[in-house]
Amino acid sequence: MSFEKVEHELHHRRSGRNIGVLVALIGMVGIVFGLTVVKVLQLGDAAKFEKFDHVARPQILPETEQ
Amino acid sequence: MTDVSLNEGLPNEAGFGDYVALLKPRVMSLVVFTALVGLLVAPMPVHPFIGFVSILCIAVGAGASGALNMWWDADIDAVMRRTAKRPIPAGKVQPEEALGLGVALSGFSVVLLWLATNWFAAALLAFTIFFYAVVYSMWLKRSTPQNIVIGGAAGAFPPMIGWAVATGGVSLESVLMFAVIFMWTPPHFWALALFMKSDYDDAGVPMLTVTHGRKATRAYILAYTVLLVPVAVGLAFTSVGGSIYGSVAVAANLWFLRGAVAIWRRDEVAAESDSYAVEKSVFKFSLLYLFVHFGALLIEAALRLGGAS
């Protein structure tokens, strides 16, 4: 059984449309990523954000004297 | 699926550009410009990336309503020469695809604008899409010759949304920016309708020039221009205005009013004798009119920013 890539005329015909969709999807990922970075940076103190990690993170708690 | 079915309808196969054409990119440019001005003149600064995403959402939302409009109006688009080559009447895109794209992009743009900025701006964008697709396209366009007046509100919302992105609300300034575009649309469009031989009548779309006659249309152009003047000049006395905007507004409105009076005083015989020269010049000036008003607002904002820093 072979898995040779079959080139169909359809691949060429629809390449413009497929590339357009690819660019739109990459753009969307970029926008969501960029928005996430900006929103997190706007929080100010990142440690506050880390506390909502739902996991105990003793290292980010303020040190207390024993 | 066989090769036969894949190859069916080859000459009419839609490319990526046909789907972009569904979003009416030329209308989008006005939306982007006015929304950007609304955002930049607002008193609260917006992070550049959030501003970029907001304008993109407003543009995509406007495009989505354009796709919904093309889906609904496919039957009349096919009848009119100007619109017969649009993707749906040309047979390149199926009406259902346009509906799907319109609904998907509407949801995407509204939700992303909400996440990026605030719920009020997103709600305003959702209302704008609803207004253009449902109130204008489905309801008013085919039922009243005043369609262009009320439908023009959809094109007037973008600066209000831009303002809402920055401030999270609405104020006198954003309402006046809305009112300028709202009042400007009828004289702008009807000046075009006077000299463009349109086939709206064949498509069953009531146009003022046909239902009320050309004489009445000339009177309507003057009436709306008279209403436009205080709104456009009044913006000079708000926090976004100033001496530059005021001077530009007074000069542009005097010029526009002069043109509207000239249109009103003419009759069809005079208009036909010079191939609608006055109507054409007023229409051309109307394009510049909107650009100089919003451009002057932008200059005022830049000067305020320069003065503050």
Side-chain angles (χ1 to χ4, degrees):
Chain A
M1 194 173 174
S2 76
F3 289 97
E4 267 180 51
K5 190 182 173 192
V6 181
E7 268 301 320
H8 194 282
E9 167 270 336
L10 183 74
H11 296 147
H12 295 291
R13 187 152 41 93
R14 293 227 170 138
S15 65
R17 208 199 278 193
N18 293 339
I19 291 168
V21 171
L22 176 72
V23 170
L25 288 175
I26 291 174
M28 205 175 101
V29 170
I31 284 167
V32 173
F33 179 70
L35 260 185
T36 310
V37 171
V38 171
K39 290 274 176 187
V40 169
L41 290 177
Q42 281 184 339
L43 287 171
D45 182 7
K48 280 187 199 162
F49 183 71
E50 282 187 277
K51 285 175 191 166
F52 292 100
D53 208 10
H54 304 286
V55 179
R57 298 275 305 275
Q59 67 270 34
I60 64 168
L61 293 173
E63 282 183 30
T64 50
E65 290 192 19
Q66 296 289 320
Chain B
M1 193 184 276
T2 65
D3 277 6
V4 175
S5 67
L6 281 171
N7 290 332
E8 271 174 11
L10 247 179
N12 276 334
E13 190 168 83
F16 192 71
D18 292 308
Y19 292 97
V20 174
L22 282 177
L23 310 182
K24 299 191 177 179
R26 274 200 297 179
V27 177
M28 230 186 234
S29 59
L30 178 69
V31 168
V32 166
F33 176 60
T34 55
L36 185 68
V37 173
L39 189 148
L40 292 176
V41 302
M44 279 82 157
V46 177
H47 189 283
F49 191 77
I50 292 185
F52 164 73
V53 173
S54 306
I55 297 298
L56 187 73
C57 286
I58 298 168
V60 170
S65 62
L68 293 171
N69 169 273
M70 284 205 204
W71 161 70
W72 184 258
D73 280 345
D75 57 336
I76 56 175
D77 282 352
V79 177
M80 297 191 292
R81 240 178 313 125
R82 184 177 64 87
T83 52
K85 285 183 183 159
R86 283 180 175 175
I88 300 176
K92 290 185 172 176
V93 175
Q94 294 301 307
E96 295 76 19
E97 284 183 283
L99 173 65
L101 189 71
V103 171
L105 289 183
S106 298
F108 169 79
S109 58
V110 170
V111 171
L112 189 63
L113 188 62
W114 183 10
L115 293 173
T117 62
N118 56 71
W119 71 268
F120 185 77
L124 213 51
L125 178 63
F127 182 71
T128 306
I129 297 169
F130 167 79
F131 200 89
Y132 187 70
V134 178
V135 178
Y136 171 69
S137 299
M138 296 184 185
W139 179 31
L140 295 170
K141 188 173 175 180
R142 301 185 198 206
S143 62
T144 165
Q146 296 292 323
N147 45 20
I148 205 71
V149 180
I150 307 159
F157 276 117
M160 255 182 121
I161 306 174
W163 180 276
V165 161
T167 65
V170 62
S171 69
L172 177 68
E173 290 86 348
S174 70
V175 171
L176 284 177
M177 281 190 282
F178 167 91
V180 167
I181 306 177
F182 181 69
M183 290 305 197
W184 163 88
T185 308
H188 161 76
F189 189 83
W190 285 329
L192 175 75
L194 280 175
F195 67 83
M196 273 286 279
K197 294 273 175 271
S198 162
D199 33 16
Y200 272 119
D201 206 28
D202 301 334
V205 177
M207 292 304 295
L208 196 69
T209 43
V210 176
T211 59
H212 288 61
R214 289 168 166 266
K215 193 174 160 55
T217 305
R218 291 172 186 279
Y220 271 103
I221 288 175
L222 179 61
Y224 276 97
T225 308
V226 168
L227 292 172
L228 169 66
V229 173
V231 173
V233 176
L235 199 52
F237 302 101
T238 64
S239 69
V240 298
S243 55
I244 294 176
Y245 173 83
S247 317
V248 168
V250 168
N253 279 280
L254 276 175
W255 193 262
F256 202 34
L257 195 59
R258 195 167 147 260
V261 170
I263 286 183
W264 174 63
R265 291 174 73 173
R266 271 153 75 87
D267 57 17
E268 280 308 302
V269 179
E272 274 176 21
S273 67
D274 64 1
S275 310
Y276 295 90
V278 174
E279 290 78 1
K280 282 176 184 169
S281 75
V282 169
F283 173 73
K284 274 185 198 156
F285 181 73
S286 72
L287 294 167
L288 185 69
Y289 177 96
L290 207 62
F291 180 76
V292 296
H293 274 80
F294 280 83
L297 286 178
L298 214 50
I299 292 170
E300 292 283 1
L303 289 176
R304 273 196 303 277
L305 200 67
S309 63

